[in-house]
């Protein structure tokens, strides 16, 4: 079985390109493609380094992020196959299908095939599928040749091999382009596109190279007080660590010889501020030869935000901006992705679009396709009005902003307006949302998906299809074990979206802090408990 970093044979690569060329031949646009008569095979595999993903609580349930794809069943001709590592609760599927406007539940359900590997291990889902040839054959027999394609979270050799075995094209970039979504590949594209980005290094393969690059960066910028060390394939900021230079300022390169500076930096490595829980230098440093790393200047600022831009590259190489967001970050040093606000601040969202187009065109020239995003830092000093925009990294895959935006788009039938960077519903109403994958509290543990549905119904927390406002929940499978939930709260203003979001939190806190009993079940006569076999 291949690894995430293996290389395919020239013959496999040629066959894969032939399949992808079929997408280029029949592609018109994102919207028109979705309206055609197709079978969509959804493989929500997080095919990233599993030790890094293991730092994220409940990451197996992140396979639920792509459940927005079920809303595509609003097209009465679309059929969808959704594969997961462990079976999804039926009530979660019912929840998404009831969101479909104008489509009978039974009609949509008949066009949905749910499959599972029944494997909760840390392996990528695509690898699990490939290890089960009968499952591969079942998927292949369920799809219509020439009228099917596959989508995934990110593209690796596992997804390529699965595409070849299913004999259907993968709507994603070739795994050969993986480098351009890494930390060092991102910096190379920013440099080639003349996009401002923090001073830093290229790829580092061991501790010695890290020490040398850090000393070089400090010599170039002696005013620095902090630097960021990033594993090349860290996910959601969990692979980042902050190096605080303030305790060793007397060893700055302009004050002592280089050997003394490097020795002082080395003494601080054990005291890095790691963003992942329970991370240590011993473990972190062992990953550097495996994944590679970079070091770059930590951007300081009196007012600092972390916006992002999302783009789309069609199979024909056309670049389109989909959205901008202000990311919500947390963790020890504000490096961990927690959620986002849509749209990004009006003072810089158009600039983000401009820079996002440049990156998209560079990626398209290399043969990339489907979704990409670019993360930035926006810094403004209190005595100025202008934001300084610095590009941080490229994600050549779906990300944390993909599912909330696609949920908004598919539920409202609206459009993103490039001229303003705003989104308008089908009836011309501007839309806003706040989304998170990390609404997590200890007292949420033990809540089952059915309990959450009871709370949604009793407290009217559902999405209102008439006003196109309300909350859509996801990551419901992570709730019971990890006390972790995802949601997207949509409003007609930021204030309304925030009020909807805060109300959900208030209800969940009140209901779970009372005691360990699901109290809502005892107060709602409209929600009787039924037992299997009840007559």
């Amino acid at each position: 079985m291949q690894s995430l970093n293996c290389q395919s044979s020239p013959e496999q690569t040629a066959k894969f390109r032939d399949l992808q060329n079929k997408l280029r031949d029949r592609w018109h646009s994102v919207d028109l493609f979705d309206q055609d008569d197709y079978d969509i095979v959804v493989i929500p595999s997080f095919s990233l380094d599993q030790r890094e993903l293991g730092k994220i609580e409940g990451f197996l349930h992140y396979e639920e992020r792509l459940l927005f794809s079920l809303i595509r069943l609003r097209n009465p001709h679309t059929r969808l196959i959704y594969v997961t590592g462990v079976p999804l609760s039926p009530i979660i599927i019912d929840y998404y299908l009831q969101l479909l406007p104008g489509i009978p539940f039974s009609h949509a359900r008949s066009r949905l095939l749910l499959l599972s590997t029944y494997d909760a291990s840390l392996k990528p889902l695509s690898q699990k599928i490939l290890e089960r040839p009968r499952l591969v054959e079942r998927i292949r027999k369920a799809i219509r040749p020439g009228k099917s394609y596959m989508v995934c979270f990110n593209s690796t050799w596992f997804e390529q091999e699965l595409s070849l075995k299913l004999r259907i094209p993968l709507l994603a970039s070739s795994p050969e382009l993986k480098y351009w979504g890494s930390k060092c590949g991102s910096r190379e594209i920013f440099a080639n596109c003349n996009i401002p980005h923090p001073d830093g290094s290229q790829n580092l393969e061991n501790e010695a190279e890290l020490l040398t690059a850090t000393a070089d960066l400090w010599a170039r910028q002696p005013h620095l007080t902090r630097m960021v060390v990033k594993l090349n394939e860290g996910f959601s900021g969990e692979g980042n660590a902050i190096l605080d230079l303030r305790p060793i300022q007397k060893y700055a390169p302009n004050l002592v010889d280089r050997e003394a500076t490097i020795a002082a930096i080395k003494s601080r490595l054990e005291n890095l501020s790691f963003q992942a829980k329970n991370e240590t230098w011993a473990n972190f440093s062992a990953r550097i030869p495996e994944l590679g790393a970079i070091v770059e200047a930590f951007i300081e600022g009196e007012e600092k935000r972390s916006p992002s831009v999302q783009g789309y590259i069609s199979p024909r190489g056309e670049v389109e901006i989909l959205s901008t967001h202000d990311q919500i970050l947390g963790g020890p040093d504000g490096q961990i992705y927690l959620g986002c606000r849509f749209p990004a601040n009006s003072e810089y969202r158009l600039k983000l679009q401009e820079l996002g187009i440049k990156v998209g065109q560079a990626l398209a020239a290399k043969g990339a396709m489907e979704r990409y995003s670019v993360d930035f830092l926006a810094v403004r000093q209190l005595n100025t009005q202008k934001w300084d925009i610095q590009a941080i990294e490229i994600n050549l895959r779906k990300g944390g902003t993909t599912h909330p935006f696609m949920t908004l788009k598919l539920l409202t039938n609206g459009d993103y307006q490039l001229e303003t960077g705003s989104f308008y519903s089908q009836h011309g109403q501007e839309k806003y949302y706040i989304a998170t994958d990390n609404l997590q509290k200890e007292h949420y543990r033990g809540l089952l998906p059915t309990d959450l549905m009871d709370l949604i119904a009793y407290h009217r927390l559902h999405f209102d299809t008439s006003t196109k406002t309300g909350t859509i929940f996801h990551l419901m499978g992570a709730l019971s074990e990890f006390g972790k939930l995802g949601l997207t709260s949509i409003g007609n203003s930021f204030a309304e979206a925030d009020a909807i979001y805060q109300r959900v939190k208030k209800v969940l806190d009140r209901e779970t802090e009372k005691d360990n009993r699901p109290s809502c079940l005892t107060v709602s006569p409209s929600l009787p408990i039924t037992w299997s076999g009840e007559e």
Side-chain angles (χ1 to χ4, degrees):
M1 182 60 63
Q2 297 173 328
S3 71
L4 286 172
N5 297 314
C6 74
Q7 299 290 325
S8 63
S9 68
E11 182 182 5
Q12 286 177 310
T13 300
K15 288 181 179 179
F16 182 71
R17 287 176 178 167
D18 286 343
L19 284 173
Q20 287 200 311
N21 285 335
K22 293 180 180 179
L23 287 176
R24 295 183 172 95
D25 291 341
R26 63 199 185 204
W27 186 268
H28 299 290
S29 73
V30 178
D31 294 329
L32 287 176
F33 199 73
D34 284 337
Q35 292 171 15
D36 283 337
D37 180 16
Y38 276 94
D39 295 344
I40 308 172
V41 180
V42 182
I43 309 295
S45 179
F46 276 60
S47 300
L48 304 168
D49 183 84
Q50 299 302 288
R51 285 173 62 185
E52 290 306 302
L53 282 181
K55 298 174 181 178
I56 303 172
E57 287 191 311
F59 88 89
L60 179 65
H61 299 284
Y62 277 51
E63 293 176 357
E64 296 178 31
R65 269 182 167 185
L66 268 61
L67 280 174
F68 72 81
S69 302
L70 270 61
I71 304 174
R72 298 188 188 281
L73 293 170
R74 64 183 183 176
N75 178 353
H77 300 294
T78 294
R79 303 195 311 176
L80 195 142
I81 298 173
Y82 201 102
V83 190
T84 54
V86 295
L88 296 171
S89 169
I91 200 168
I92 295 177
I93 302 302
D94 293 348
Y95 171 77
Y96 278 90
L97 293 182
Q98 61 86 27
L99 293 171
L100 298 178
I103 297 291
F105 179 94
S106 59
H107 193 283
R109 187 64 184 85
S110 68
R111 292 179 283 111
L112 171 65
L113 176 60
L114 298 170
L115 297 172
S116 174
T117 63
Y118 293 88
D119 183 344
S121 69
L122 296 180
K123 296 177 183 177
L125 172 62
S126 298
Q127 180 182 356
K128 297 174 186 177
I129 297 171
L130 289 167
E131 291 172 349
R132 292 160 174 82
R134 291 177 183 267
L135 177 57
V136 174
E137 185 64 13
R138 184 177 179 187
I139 297 171
R140 194 180 64 80
K141 288 182 177 179
I143 56 182
R144 293 170 290 177
K147 297 189 74 65
S148 304
Y149 65 96
M150 180 176 131
V151 297
C152 60
F153 175 76
N154 67 310
S155 174
T156 70
W157 307 109
F158 291 135
E159 285 72 33
Q160 174 176 300
E161 185 175 348
L162 184 56
S163 168
L164 292 172
K165 287 189 178 297
L166 294 176
R167 305 169 198 168
I168 61 174
L170 172 65
L171 182 56
S173 293
S174 167
E176 291 182 307
L177 303 177
K178 177 183 176 183
Y179 171 78
W180 303 112
S182 69
K183 303 296 189 294
C184 55
S186 299
R187 293 180 56 80
E188 189 173 331
I189 284 185
F190 298 151
N192 292 339
C193 294
N194 295 315
I195 294 175
H197 58 286
D199 191 4
S201 73
Q202 285 303 312
N203 191 50
L204 308 171
E205 297 183 351
N206 52 54
E207 181 180 316
E209 291 185 4
L210 172 62
L211 290 170
T212 299
T214 302
D216 291 343
L217 175 56
W218 202 3
R220 293 195 301 272
Q221 298 199 36
H223 65 281
L224 286 178
T225 58
R226 288 184 285 182
M227 298 183 189
V228 190
V229 182
K230 300 178 179 179
L231 295 175
N232 242 336
E233 294 184 26
F235 177 75
S236 193
E238 299 277 355
N240 294 3
I242 303 299
L243 170 62
D244 192 343
L245 299 171
R246 287 169 289 193
I248 55 172
Q249 281 294 333
K250 64 181 180 180
Y251 296 101
N254 59 331
L255 300 177
V256 297
D257 60 51
R258 183 175 175 82
E259 288 73 16
T261 298
I262 290 179
I265 294 170
K266 182 178 177 66
S267 71
R268 293 296 300 165
L269 295 181
E270 292 282 352
N271 302 108
L272 289 176
S273 177
F274 299 104
Q275 304 307 292
K277 293 180 182 178
N278 305 317
E279 182 63 283
T280 64
W281 171 245
N283 181 71
F284 190 91
S285 60
R287 307 310 323 274
I288 295 176
E290 300 172 29
L291 303 177
I294 63 166
V295 61
E296 62 185 22
F298 183 93
I299 304 297
E300 308 282 357
E302 294 173 305
E303 186 177 4
K304 185 163 62 172
R305 298 178 183 176
S306 181
S308 67
V309 60
Q310 292 68 44
Y312 194 94
I313 305 170
S314 79
R316 291 185 177 181
E318 298 141 339
V319 180
E320 174 186 357
I321 294 299
L322 298 179
S323 61
T324 64
H325 293 81
D326 276 314
Q327 299 181 97
I328 301 169
L329 302 180
D333 300 283
Q335 300 279 303
I336 303 295
Y337 177 82
L338 299 179
C340 61
R341 290 161 55 95
F342 171 85
N345 189 295
S346 60
E347 294 177 350
Y348 48 69
R349 69 175 73 143
L350 298 185
K351 181 64 175 180
L352 298 181
Q353 293 181 165
E354 175 189 328
L355 298 176
I357 284 286
K358 284 186 177 181
V359 171
Q361 290 171 339
L363 292 170
K366 299 179 184 300
M369 71 166 72
E370 228 256 339
R371 281 174 172 77
Y372 71 95
S373 65
V374 189
D375 295 338
F376 297 86
L377 278 177
V379 177
R380 180 170 66 179
Q381 307 305 329
L382 295 181
N383 60 345
T384 66
Q385 296 297 315
K386 185 178 180 180
W387 290 92
D388 177 32
I389 306 293
Q390 298 277 324
I392 300 299
E393 65 179 289
I394 298 168
N395 294 305
L396 194 54
R397 54 171 171 77
K398 295 178 175 63
T401 55
T402 301
H403 52 284
F405 181 78
M406 288 306 298
T407 299
L408 170 70
K409 182 174 178 61
L410 292 170
L411 286 178
T412 64
N413 289 319
D415 290 300
Y416 182 77
Q417 299 293 329
L418 196 64
E419 297 76 16
T420 62
S422 298
F423 186 92
Y424 296 88
S425 71
Q426 199 172 31
H427 301 294
Q429 174 64 57
E430 191 170 359
K431 291 294 179 179
Y432 301 77
Y433 62 73
I434 297 174
T436 182
D437 288 332
N438 292 277
L439 182 55
Q440 183 175 20
K441 297 187 178 181
E442 182 63 30
H443 50 262
Y444 292 174
R445 293 179 187 264
L447 274 180
L448 302 176
T450 50
D451 299 326
L452 178 63
M453 296 304 165
D454 291 335
L455 289 169
I456 292 172
Y458 182 72
H459 294 282
R460 300 183 181 277
L461 302 178
H462 59 278
F463 179 77
D464 188 332
T465 56
S466 62
T467 63
K468 308 296 184 186
T469 61
T471 296
I472 298 92
F473 296 85
H474 61 277
L475 291 186
M476 290 178 268
L479 189 55
S480 178
E481 182 178 356
F482 301 99
K484 187 174 185 177
L485 182 66
L487 55 89
T488 302
S489 294
I490 299 172
N492 295 328
S493 66
F494 270 134
E496 184 178 18
D498 184 61
I500 293 170
Y501 177 81
Q502 296 300 331
R503 182 167 179 265
V504 171
K505 288 177 59 179
K506 183 177 180 180
V507 166
L508 290 176
D509 288 343
R510 184 173 66 243
E511 288 289 344
T512 55
E513 287 177 340
K514 287 179 181 178
D515 52 29
N516 292 327
R517 294 174 310 200
S519 57
C520 69
L521 295 183
T522 65
V523 296
S524 176
S526 62
L527 296 172
I529 301 176
T530 58
W531 304 90
S532 59
E534 179 179 320
E535 296 181 356

